[in-house]
Structure formats: C-alpha cells, structure tokens
Amino acid sequence: MSVARPAATILRRPLQQDLKKHVTIAFALSAVAAVAWKVLVADPRKKKYQEFYKTYDEERQFKRMVEAGVFDSVKPNAEKSEWIANYEKEVDQAIAALKK
Amino acid sequence: MLSVWGQLNLQEGMSTIMELMNYFHDYMMIILVLIMTFVTYLFIFVITSPRLDKYTVDSHILETVWTIVPMVILLFMAFPSLYLLYLMEDVSNPNLMVKVVGHQWYWEYQYSNSWFNYGFDSYMVYEKSDSPLFHSLDVDNRLVLPTNANILFLVTSADVLHSWAVPTLGIKTDAIPGRLNYLSTMTPYSGVYYGQCSEICGSNHSFMPIVLEFIPMANYLDYVVSLSSQE
C-alpha cells in the first residue's frame, strides 16, 4: 500500500521562495487591475464621448439652450437681426446647392 | 458646465485640450492603479508573513531593479505629459483677445481688438429675479465669447494675487500684479461655463466667480454690434 508523501518543508531560504511566489502574484494582480481600469473606466469614457458627439447637433442644442433661457446675450423669441437672417439664408442656399 | 455635489471626477471637457486631459488622466490612473495594487499586495504580504530574514544587508540586483523599473514607468508617463503640455502652450493666430484683470473681489474684462474695444466688470450676484441661480456662481455680466474661435486671454491683477480658472475648458492661470500671463482656448460647443477664483485673495475670495458664455459666431457678432451701439 503506497502512502502519499507529505509536501517537503522548505528549510533553505524560505522567505526568498515565498517572495518569488508573491511578487509574481503581485505583478499578475496589478496587471489585472490596470487592464480592468482601462476596460471598465478609460475605454467606456472615450466611447461615451464618441457616441455623444456622433449625433450631436450644435445648432439644435444652441436653439434648445436659447429657448430655455440659458444665455444672457441671446434671448428666446428675440428678433433676429436682418444681417443674421440674410446670412442664414445664404448658408442654407449654399448647402442646398452642394446637395444637388 | 459646473461641478455637482458629490462629483469625484474631472468635469467634462468642453475644449479639445480638456478632453485630451481627461484621456491623459485615465492613462495616468492605469499606471497608478498598477503601482498601487503591486505595492499594496506586497505591503500586506510583508505584514502578514511569518518569515523574516534578518541577515540581508544589501542586494545590488534588487537596488538596480527598483531603480530601472520606476525610471521606465516615468518615461511612459513623461512623453504624453510633455506632449499635452506643449499642446496647451501653443498659441497660434488668435481670433480674439480678451484682457482679464483681477480685483478684490471681482473680475474686469476687456475685449481688445483693432475694431472693437469694450470693458466691463463682473460681480457675483446674490439674487436673480428672472432665472434660477447657482449659489456663489452667477454674475451680473458674463463674458460672452464666440465658439470655434481661438481666444487669447491676457490675465493680470490690479491688487493682490488671484487666479482665473475655468475647469471645464482646462484653463487656469494666476493673475499677478505687474505681470501678464496668457491663456488660449477654443471650444466648438455653445454653453455657459463656470469657474472660480483659485488663489486666496482676501475675505471674498470665494465670491468672485467667472462665467463664460459661448455662442455661435453670428450671434456673437450681433452681440458685439449691440454693445457698440450702446456705447
């Protein structure tokens, strides 16, 4: 009948043996933590910015803010200056011409 | 953009530089988390380990490793940091120049161009009858600026040290009497951005906020024309 041998007791440089094991574990854990931060925090933040600005319409947001009364210099329902109205008309015409 | 209660992170970046700074902050946090985990684990191991080596007096290999490894880590941190730093310093062809003068306890702004010169003071307001108020943040006269334009700020002070800061644009510079510091920014996004004085300057240091109002260029020119007609 064979009996399993018990694990050999480390009698030579036990601290160094332990250190080798634990420094390796520390490296592995820190790599995992770094990758976790990148995957769970850094990359989602970049993606959030990208997704938000893919459909961001600056003009629409500006109009929304004006309607909400956010600005002091641009009031909601204020009469547009003639030159702005003409300028916007010219821009719309130029965009329409480009689309043709 | 302004901070909200309980906010731990940086504010959202409304200028390109601030967006890059947010990404850079995330990159630095990756490195810091790596180092922190490594050190914490070894710290717990050292405290809880039953083993002890009282005969180690030196280790050249260990000393070499723990010099080289931090040096390499610092190189990984230094290159993107210096890149962003020099990017922030780049001031090329400003479209508009604004002088900012710190006083006790208000800011004075001056639009300064070859075709338009207008100055005003910006005091904190305690009450605004026609719109909700952000506590200690709203002012009577906001600094109105155009989007999609390079703006150069020249910042100084008339009395003591102040600091002009708008976190969401990633800009901050000291207002020093007798010295002109410069800042440059550009944002493509309309909105109202808040900041506060960031250098202790007396009893009302906390009550001299900064409010920037960014509007599209056409509306900005309209605003400037209306200011000129008021003068």
Side-chain angles (χ1 to χ4, degrees):
Chain A
M1 197 166 85
S2 62
V3 176
R5 289 182 69 180
T9 309
I10 300 170
L11 295 171
R12 192 172 291 178
R13 301 197 191 108
L15 178 61
Q16 283 87 328
Q17 303 293 329
D18 252 359
L19 267 174
K20 275 186 203 168
K21 184 178 89 177
H22 285 281
V23 165
T24 312
I25 295 174
F27 267 122
L29 264 181
S30 54
V32 164
V35 167
W37 184 273
K38 184 175 191 317
V39 166
L40 297 174
V41 177
D43 288 345
R45 193 199 304 281
K46 271 196 186 150
K47 206 161 168 221
K48 210 169 65 166
Y49 269 100
Q50 279 171 6
E51 292 302 322
F52 181 79
Y53 290 116
K54 255 184 209 168
T55 52
Y56 182 73
D57 184 350
E58 211 264 318
E59 210 178 302
R60 191 170 63 89
Q61 293 300 330
F62 175 66
K63 283 197 174 114
R64 219 172 120 232
M65 284 190 271
V66 169
E67 295 304 318
V70 166
F71 298 113
D72 279 354
S73 56
V74 184
K75 294 295 178 200
N77 303 323
E79 253 185 51
K80 268 189 209 171
S81 306
E82 198 186 317
W83 75 271
I84 285 189
N86 289 339
Y87 170 73
E88 283 179 354
K89 211 165 128 189
E90 278 175 29
V91 167
D92 288 338
Q93 281 170 356
I95 292 172
L98 279 170
K99 279 185 182 166
K100 277 185 195 164
Chain B
M1 293 299 300
L2 71 166
S3 293
V4 295
W5 194 91
Q7 178 171 331
L8 295 176
N9 291 323
L10 298 169
Q11 289 186 28
E12 299 293 333
M14 284 292 138
S15 68
T16 323
I17 295 290
M18 189 57 192
E19 267 185 51
L20 291 174
M21 280 205 231
N22 276 328
Y23 297 150
F24 177 67
H25 177 259
D26 286 338
Y27 169 75
M28 293 293 261
M29 282 302 293
I30 291 170
I31 296 175
L32 294 182
V33 160
L34 191 138
I35 296 169
M36 186 76 178
T37 316
F38 184 78
V39 169
T40 307
Y41 183 85
L42 284 183
F43 184 67
I44 294 170
F45 163 70
V46 163
I47 289 174
T48 55
S49 171
R51 309 196 196 287
L52 176 69
D53 184 349
K54 49 188 181 175
Y55 300 108
T56 302
V57 291
D58 66 7
S59 169
H60 292 295
I61 296 174
L62 186 61
E63 288 181 10
T64 308
V65 166
W66 74 30
T67 306
I68 300 290
V69 170
M71 200 177 82
V72 169
I73 292 174
L74 283 172
L75 279 174
F76 273 101
M77 290 160 74
F79 282 114
S81 172
L82 287 171
Y83 173 78
L84 193 50
L85 186 68
Y86 280 96
L87 204 60
M88 283 162 58
E89 291 293 313
D90 181 39
V91 177
S92 45
N93 301 325
N95 301 113
L96 177 66
M97 195 167 74
V98 179
K99 285 184 213 155
V100 178
V101 184
H103 295 264
Q104 281 177 312
W105 288 278
Y106 63 97
W107 294 99
E108 178 197 341
Y109 300 112
Q110 253 188 358
Y111 296 105
S112 203
N113 295 300
S114 55
W115 51 275
F116 175 58
N117 220 318
Y118 177 78
F120 61 93
D121 298 335
S122 181
Y123 283 85
M124 187 183 89
V125 291
Y126 295 90
E127 211 173 286
K128 237 182 182 179
S129 57
D130 56 352
S131 60
L133 190 66
F134 288 121
H135 179 63
S136 297
L137 281 177
D138 268 310
V139 296
D140 53 359
N141 299 314
R142 295 172 173 176
L143 180 59
V144 180
L145 296 164
T147 54
N148 292 310
N150 278 329
I151 301 162
L152 178 68
F153 296 99
L154 296 176
V155 182
T156 186
S157 168
D159 36 48
V160 299
L161 290 181
H162 301 273
S163 184
W164 197 78
V166 183
T168 198
L169 296 175
I171 51 177
K172 180 189 284 189
T173 191
D174 280 353
I176 299 167
R179 183 185 167 90
L180 269 181
N181 284 328
Y182 70 91
L183 271 175
S184 170
T185 191
M186 196 280 284
T187 177
Y189 313 117
S190 324
V192 180
Y193 307 136
Y194 293 87
Q196 290 177 288
C197 179
S198 304
E199 184 70 40
I200 187 81
C201 53
S203 56
N204 280 359
H205 155 69
S206 310
F207 308 113
M208 49 184 294
I210 296 140
V211 184
L212 305 188
E213 194 171 292
F214 278 90
I215 54 179
M217 182 61 88
N219 298 88
Y220 172 73
L221 290 172
D222 206 29
Y223 169 75
V224 159
V225 164
S226 70
L227 284 181
S228 311
S229 59
Q230 279 173 26
E231 280 192 309

